[in-house]
Short mmCIF file of all heavy atoms in Angstrom, two decimals:
data_model
loop_
_atom_site.label_atom_id
_atom_site.label_comp_id
_atom_site.label_asym_id
_atom_site.label_seq_id
_atom_site.Cartn_x
_atom_site.Cartn_y
_atom_site.Cartn_z
N ASP A 812 65.75 61.10 194.56
CA ASP A 812 66.40 60.04 195.43
C ASP A 812 67.02 58.92 194.64
O ASP A 812 68.05 58.48 195.02
CB ASP A 812 65.33 59.63 196.54
CG ASP A 812 64.96 60.78 197.50
OD1 ASP A 812 65.73 61.85 197.48
OD2 ASP A 812 63.90 60.71 198.06
N ARG A 813 66.21 58.48 193.71
CA ARG A 813 66.66 57.32 192.88
C ARG A 813 68.00 57.76 192.21
O ARG A 813 68.94 56.91 192.06
CB ARG A 813 65.59 56.97 191.97
CG ARG A 813 65.80 55.54 191.33
CD ARG A 813 64.54 55.15 190.50
NE ARG A 813 64.73 53.78 190.01
CZ ARG A 813 64.51 52.63 190.65
NH1 ARG A 813 64.14 52.72 191.89
NH2 ARG A 813 64.67 51.56 190.08
N VAL A 814 68.01 58.98 191.54
CA VAL A 814 69.23 59.38 190.89
C VAL A 814 70.37 59.50 191.79
O VAL A 814 71.47 59.15 191.49
CB VAL A 814 68.94 60.79 190.23
CG1 VAL A 814 70.33 61.36 189.74
CG2 VAL A 814 67.97 60.63 189.08
N ALA A 815 70.10 59.86 193.12
CA ALA A 815 71.26 60.10 193.98
C ALA A 815 71.73 58.81 194.57
O ALA A 815 72.93 58.70 194.94
CB ALA A 815 70.85 61.04 195.06
N SER A 816 70.73 57.85 194.88
CA SER A 816 71.13 56.67 195.61
C SER A 816 71.39 55.48 194.83
O SER A 816 71.95 54.48 195.27
CB SER A 816 70.10 56.47 196.74
OG SER A 816 68.82 56.20 196.07
N SER A 817 70.84 55.33 193.65
CA SER A 817 70.89 54.10 192.84
C SER A 817 72.31 53.83 192.44
O SER A 817 73.06 54.72 191.91
CB SER A 817 69.99 54.19 191.63
OG SER A 817 70.11 53.00 190.90
N THR A 818 72.70 52.52 192.47
CA THR A 818 74.12 52.17 192.19
C THR A 818 74.15 51.74 190.63
O THR A 818 75.25 51.63 190.13
CB THR A 818 74.60 51.05 193.08
OG1 THR A 818 73.60 49.98 192.94
CG2 THR A 818 74.63 51.59 194.48
N LEU A 819 73.04 51.28 190.18
CA LEU A 819 72.96 50.85 188.73
C LEU A 819 72.87 51.97 187.84
O LEU A 819 71.83 52.85 187.96
CB LEU A 819 71.76 49.80 188.58
CG LEU A 819 71.87 48.44 189.23
CD1 LEU A 819 70.70 47.62 189.03
CD2 LEU A 819 73.21 47.75 188.90
N LEU A 820 73.55 52.00 186.69
CA LEU A 820 73.52 53.14 185.80
C LEU A 820 72.20 53.11 185.05
O LEU A 820 71.73 54.21 184.74
CB LEU A 820 74.69 52.93 184.79
CG LEU A 820 74.80 54.02 183.67
CD1 LEU A 820 74.93 55.30 184.25
CD2 LEU A 820 75.89 53.64 182.74
N ASP A 821 71.63 51.97 184.81
CA ASP A 821 70.34 51.87 184.15
C ASP A 821 69.26 52.48 184.88
O ASP A 821 68.41 53.21 184.30
CB ASP A 821 69.95 50.38 183.83
CG ASP A 821 70.92 49.81 182.73
OD1 ASP A 821 71.55 50.52 181.96
OD2 ASP A 821 70.99 48.43 182.68
N ASP A 822 69.23 52.24 186.24
CA ASP A 822 68.24 52.90 187.02
C ASP A 822 68.40 54.38 187.05
O ASP A 822 67.42 55.17 186.95
CB ASP A 822 68.35 52.39 188.39
CG ASP A 822 67.95 50.85 188.53
OD1 ASP A 822 67.36 50.37 187.61
OD2 ASP A 822 68.32 50.15 189.62
N ARG A 823 69.57 54.80 187.13
CA ARG A 823 69.83 56.36 187.22
C ARG A 823 69.49 56.99 185.83
O ARG A 823 68.79 58.03 185.76
CB ARG A 823 71.26 56.63 187.49
CG ARG A 823 71.66 56.32 188.87
CD ARG A 823 73.05 57.14 189.26
NE ARG A 823 74.11 56.75 188.36
CZ ARG A 823 74.99 55.76 188.46
NH1 ARG A 823 74.73 54.88 189.41
NH2 ARG A 823 75.94 55.63 187.54
N ARG A 824 69.73 56.22 184.83
CA ARG A 824 69.31 56.74 183.43
C ARG A 824 67.85 56.73 183.23
O ARG A 824 67.32 57.82 182.80
CB ARG A 824 69.90 55.79 182.38
CG ARG A 824 69.73 56.28 181.01
CD ARG A 824 70.12 55.28 179.83
NE ARG A 824 71.47 54.86 180.07
CZ ARG A 824 71.76 53.57 180.28
NH1 ARG A 824 70.79 52.66 180.33
NH2 ARG A 824 73.02 53.09 180.34
N ASP A 825 67.17 55.79 183.75
CA ASP A 825 65.69 55.77 183.66
C ASP A 825 65.06 56.94 184.48
O ASP A 825 64.12 57.60 184.07
CB ASP A 825 65.09 54.46 184.15
CG ASP A 825 65.52 53.35 183.12
OD1 ASP A 825 65.72 53.65 181.95
OD2 ASP A 825 65.44 52.21 183.58
N ALA A 826 65.64 57.13 185.61
CA ALA A 826 65.14 58.24 186.58
C ALA A 826 65.39 59.61 185.88
O ALA A 826 64.58 60.45 185.94
CB ALA A 826 65.93 58.19 187.89
N VAL A 827 66.58 59.80 185.22
CA VAL A 827 66.72 61.16 184.63
C VAL A 827 65.83 61.26 183.40
O VAL A 827 65.41 62.34 183.10
CB VAL A 827 68.29 61.19 184.17
CG1 VAL A 827 68.52 62.46 183.41
CG2 VAL A 827 69.20 61.13 185.44
N ARG A 828 65.58 60.14 182.68
CA ARG A 828 64.64 60.24 181.63
C ARG A 828 63.30 60.69 182.04
O ARG A 828 62.65 61.49 181.44
CB ARG A 828 64.62 58.95 180.93
CG ARG A 828 63.75 58.96 179.62
CD ARG A 828 63.51 57.70 178.99
NE ARG A 828 64.58 56.97 178.61
CZ ARG A 828 65.00 55.72 179.02
NH1 ARG A 828 64.24 55.16 180.00
NH2 ARG A 828 66.08 55.16 178.55
N ALA A 829 62.94 60.11 183.22
CA ALA A 829 61.65 60.50 183.74
C ALA A 829 61.48 61.96 184.19
O ALA A 829 60.59 62.78 183.99
CB ALA A 829 61.32 59.64 184.95
N LEU A 830 62.62 62.42 184.79
CA LEU A 830 62.72 63.88 185.11
C LEU A 830 62.58 64.78 183.89
O LEU A 830 62.02 65.83 183.94
CB LEU A 830 63.96 64.14 185.90
CG LEU A 830 64.11 63.61 187.40
CD1 LEU A 830 65.59 63.80 187.84
CD2 LEU A 830 63.07 64.39 188.23
N LYS A 831 63.23 64.32 182.83
CA LYS A 831 63.18 65.19 181.60
C LYS A 831 61.72 65.22 181.13
O LYS A 831 61.26 66.33 180.68
CB LYS A 831 63.91 64.39 180.51
CG LYS A 831 63.90 65.11 179.14
CD LYS A 831 64.62 64.22 178.07
CE LYS A 831 64.17 64.80 176.60
NZ LYS A 831 64.77 63.94 175.57
N SER A 832 61.04 64.13 181.15
CA SER A 832 59.58 64.23 180.77
C SER A 832 58.75 65.04 181.60
O SER A 832 57.66 65.68 181.16
CB SER A 832 59.04 62.75 180.73
OG SER A 832 58.94 62.20 182.03
N LEU A 833 59.13 65.28 182.93
CA LEU A 833 58.28 65.97 183.77
C LEU A 833 58.83 67.51 183.83
O LEU A 833 58.13 68.36 184.41
CB LEU A 833 58.37 65.45 185.15
CG LEU A 833 57.73 64.21 185.45
CD1 LEU A 833 58.08 63.54 186.85
CD2 LEU A 833 56.25 64.11 185.22
N SER A 834 59.93 67.80 183.36
CA SER A 834 60.57 69.02 183.43
C SER A 834 59.76 70.19 182.84
O SER A 834 59.88 71.36 183.27
CB SER A 834 61.99 69.06 182.88
OG SER A 834 62.06 68.72 181.58
N LYS A 835 59.12 69.99 181.72
CA LYS A 835 58.32 70.99 181.14
C LYS A 835 57.02 71.43 181.91
O LYS A 835 56.71 72.51 182.18
CB LYS A 835 57.91 70.56 179.69
CG LYS A 835 59.12 70.54 178.74
CD LYS A 835 58.58 70.25 177.33
CE LYS A 835 59.86 70.28 176.30
NZ LYS A 835 59.34 70.03 174.95
N LYS A 836 56.33 70.40 182.34
CA LYS A 836 55.10 70.64 183.20
C LYS A 836 55.40 71.14 184.53
O LYS A 836 54.75 71.96 185.05
CB LYS A 836 54.29 69.38 183.19
CG LYS A 836 52.91 69.55 183.75
CD LYS A 836 52.07 68.22 183.63
CE LYS A 836 50.66 68.49 184.15
NZ LYS A 836 49.87 67.33 183.99
N TYR A 837 56.41 70.45 185.30
CA TYR A 837 56.82 70.83 186.61
C TYR A 837 58.16 71.45 186.62
O TYR A 837 58.98 70.90 187.30
CB TYR A 837 56.74 69.59 187.44
CG TYR A 837 55.41 68.84 187.51
CD1 TYR A 837 55.21 67.64 186.78
CD2 TYR A 837 54.38 69.38 188.33
CE1 TYR A 837 53.96 67.08 186.75
CE2 TYR A 837 53.18 68.78 188.41
CZ TYR A 837 52.98 67.52 187.67
OH TYR A 837 51.70 66.96 187.68
N ARG A 838 58.16 72.58 185.90
CA ARG A 838 59.55 73.22 185.70
C ARG A 838 60.09 73.71 187.02
O ARG A 838 61.26 73.53 187.36
CB ARG A 838 59.38 74.36 184.77
CG ARG A 838 60.62 75.20 184.54
CD ARG A 838 60.31 76.43 183.62
NE ARG A 838 61.41 77.25 183.41
CZ ARG A 838 61.47 78.42 182.71
NH1 ARG A 838 60.24 78.80 182.34
NH2 ARG A 838 62.57 79.03 182.66
N LEU A 839 59.26 74.31 187.86
CA LEU A 839 59.84 74.88 189.21
C LEU A 839 60.30 73.74 190.06
O LEU A 839 61.32 73.84 190.62
CB LEU A 839 58.67 75.70 189.84
CG LEU A 839 58.97 76.22 191.19
CD1 LEU A 839 60.12 77.24 190.99
CD2 LEU A 839 57.78 76.93 191.79
N GLU A 840 59.36 72.68 190.17
CA GLU A 840 59.76 71.64 191.10
C GLU A 840 60.99 70.91 190.73
O GLU A 840 61.84 70.55 191.54
CB GLU A 840 58.55 70.61 191.23
CG GLU A 840 57.26 71.11 191.88
CD GLU A 840 56.54 72.04 191.03
OE1 GLU A 840 56.95 72.17 189.79
OE2 GLU A 840 55.46 72.54 191.45
N VAL A 841 61.19 70.54 189.40
CA VAL A 841 62.26 69.93 188.87
C VAL A 841 63.48 70.79 189.09
O VAL A 841 64.57 70.28 189.38
CB VAL A 841 62.10 69.57 187.42
CG1 VAL A 841 63.42 68.98 186.81
CG2 VAL A 841 60.96 68.49 187.30
N GLY A 842 63.34 72.05 188.78
CA GLY A 842 64.53 72.94 188.94
C GLY A 842 65.02 73.10 190.35
O GLY A 842 66.28 73.10 190.66
N ILE A 843 64.04 73.05 191.29
CA ILE A 843 64.47 73.27 192.73
C ILE A 843 65.08 71.97 193.27
O ILE A 843 66.14 71.98 194.00
CB ILE A 843 63.30 73.70 193.57
CG1 ILE A 843 62.85 74.99 193.17
CG2 ILE A 843 63.55 73.68 195.05
CD1 ILE A 843 61.52 75.55 193.84
N GLN A 844 64.43 70.84 192.99
CA GLN A 844 64.79 69.54 193.62
C GLN A 844 65.87 68.79 192.80
O GLN A 844 66.81 68.13 193.38
CB GLN A 844 63.61 68.69 193.69
CG GLN A 844 62.53 69.25 194.64
CD GLN A 844 61.37 68.36 194.74
OE1 GLN A 844 61.53 67.11 194.86
NE2 GLN A 844 60.15 68.90 194.85
N ALA A 845 65.84 68.92 191.55
CA ALA A 845 66.74 67.97 190.75
C ALA A 845 68.06 68.70 190.20
O ALA A 845 68.94 67.98 189.70
CB ALA A 845 65.99 67.45 189.51
N MET A 846 68.15 69.97 190.18
CA MET A 846 69.23 70.62 189.52
C MET A 846 70.68 70.23 190.05
O MET A 846 71.59 69.84 189.36
CB MET A 846 69.17 72.17 189.67
CG MET A 846 70.42 72.81 188.95
SD MET A 846 70.22 74.58 188.95
CE MET A 846 68.83 74.94 187.76
N GLU A 847 70.77 69.99 191.39
CA GLU A 847 72.01 69.68 191.98
C GLU A 847 72.32 68.24 191.57
O GLU A 847 73.52 67.87 191.30
CB GLU A 847 71.96 69.69 193.51
CG GLU A 847 73.20 69.44 194.23
CD GLU A 847 73.08 69.51 195.73
OE1 GLU A 847 72.01 70.04 196.23
OE2 GLU A 847 74.06 69.15 196.45
N HIS A 848 71.34 67.31 191.54
CA HIS A 848 71.55 65.92 191.18
C HIS A 848 71.94 65.82 189.70
O HIS A 848 72.81 65.05 189.28
CB HIS A 848 70.33 65.04 191.48
CG HIS A 848 69.84 65.04 192.93
ND1 HIS A 848 70.67 64.53 193.91
CD2 HIS A 848 68.80 65.70 193.47
CE1 HIS A 848 70.03 64.64 195.09
NE2 HIS A 848 68.93 65.39 194.87
N LEU A 849 71.32 66.68 188.92
CA LEU A 849 71.63 66.58 187.47
C LEU A 849 73.09 67.10 187.29
O LEU A 849 73.80 66.48 186.37
CB LEU A 849 70.62 67.48 186.64
CG LEU A 849 69.23 67.03 186.60
CD1 LEU A 849 68.32 68.00 186.04
CD2 LEU A 849 69.02 65.65 185.84
N ILE A 850 73.47 68.07 187.86
CA ILE A 850 74.92 68.57 187.74
C ILE A 850 75.88 67.45 188.19
O ILE A 850 76.96 67.23 187.58
CB ILE A 850 75.08 69.91 188.59
CG1 ILE A 850 74.24 70.99 187.87
CG2 ILE A 850 76.56 70.26 188.56
CD1 ILE A 850 74.34 72.28 188.75
N HIS A 851 75.53 66.75 189.27
CA HIS A 851 76.33 65.60 189.80
C HIS A 851 76.38 64.47 188.76
O HIS A 851 77.45 63.98 188.53
CB HIS A 851 75.68 65.11 191.15
CG HIS A 851 76.53 63.98 191.73
ND1 HIS A 851 77.84 64.27 192.29
CD2 HIS A 851 76.39 62.66 191.77
CE1 HIS A 851 78.32 63.16 192.70
NE2 HIS A 851 77.44 62.13 192.48
N VAL A 852 75.28 64.25 188.07
CA VAL A 852 75.26 63.18 186.84
C VAL A 852 76.23 63.72 185.82
O VAL A 852 77.07 62.88 185.28
CB VAL A 852 73.85 62.95 186.45
CG1 VAL A 852 73.91 62.19 185.09
CG2 VAL A 852 73.04 62.33 187.40
N LEU A 853 76.29 64.95 185.52
CA LEU A 853 77.23 65.52 184.43
C LEU A 853 78.65 65.28 184.92
O LEU A 853 79.41 65.02 183.90
CB LEU A 853 76.88 67.03 184.20
CG LEU A 853 75.51 67.27 183.60
CD1 LEU A 853 75.39 68.81 183.44
CD2 LEU A 853 75.33 66.63 182.28
N GLN A 854 78.87 65.41 186.13
CA GLN A 854 80.24 65.28 186.70
C GLN A 854 80.71 63.75 186.73
O GLN A 854 81.91 63.46 186.47
CB GLN A 854 80.39 65.88 188.04
CG GLN A 854 80.20 67.34 187.97
CD GLN A 854 80.09 68.03 189.33
OE1 GLN A 854 79.96 67.29 190.30
NE2 GLN A 854 80.27 69.30 189.43
N THR A 855 79.80 62.91 187.06
CA THR A 855 80.20 61.52 187.39
C THR A 855 79.89 60.46 186.30
O THR A 855 80.65 59.52 186.22
CB THR A 855 79.52 61.00 188.70
OG1 THR A 855 78.09 61.16 188.48
CG2 THR A 855 79.89 61.91 189.88
N ASP A 856 78.87 60.73 185.53
CA ASP A 856 78.49 59.67 184.54
C ASP A 856 78.80 60.12 183.12
O ASP A 856 78.13 59.89 182.21
CB ASP A 856 76.93 59.47 184.65
CG ASP A 856 76.69 58.70 185.99
OD1 ASP A 856 77.38 58.08 186.44
OD2 ASP A 856 75.41 58.96 186.37
N ARG A 857 80.06 60.72 183.01
CA ARG A 857 80.31 61.14 181.65
C ARG A 857 80.61 60.03 180.56
O ARG A 857 80.65 60.25 179.39
CB ARG A 857 81.68 62.12 181.73
CG ARG A 857 81.37 63.43 182.37
CD ARG A 857 82.52 64.30 182.27
NE ARG A 857 82.96 64.62 180.92
CZ ARG A 857 83.99 65.31 180.61
NH1 ARG A 857 84.76 65.79 181.57
NH2 ARG A 857 84.36 65.40 179.41
N SER A 858 80.90 58.86 181.11
CA SER A 858 81.15 57.84 180.25
C SER A 858 79.88 57.34 179.48
O SER A 858 80.02 56.69 178.38
CB SER A 858 81.68 56.61 181.01
OG SER A 858 80.76 56.19 181.99
N ASP A 859 78.70 57.65 179.98
CA ASP A 859 77.41 57.26 179.35
C ASP A 859 76.82 58.38 178.59
O ASP A 859 76.35 59.37 179.29
CB ASP A 859 76.41 56.64 180.32
CG ASP A 859 75.25 56.04 179.62
OD1 ASP A 859 75.31 55.04 178.97
OD2 ASP A 859 74.11 56.69 180.02
#
Side-chain angles (χ1 to χ4, degrees):
D812 294 340
R813 194 172 183 84
V814 171
S816 60
S817 181
T818 57
L819 294 176
L820 179 61
D821 292 338
D822 292 343
R823 292 199 301 276
R824 187 189 303 120
D825 294 338
V827 174
R828 186 192 295 120
L830 286 172
K831 173 190 171 184
S832 63
L833 295 172
S834 58
K835 290 185 177 180
K836 186 174 182 180
Y837 299 100
R838 179 183 177 189
L839 178 62
E840 292 80 1
V841 172
I843 293 173
Q844 300 180 37
M846 181 174 287
E847 184 178 352
H848 302 292
L849 294 171
I850 294 171
H851 184 70
V852 167
L853 296 178
Q854 294 171 348
T855 57
D856 291 331
R857 290 186 56 184
S858 59
D859 185 68

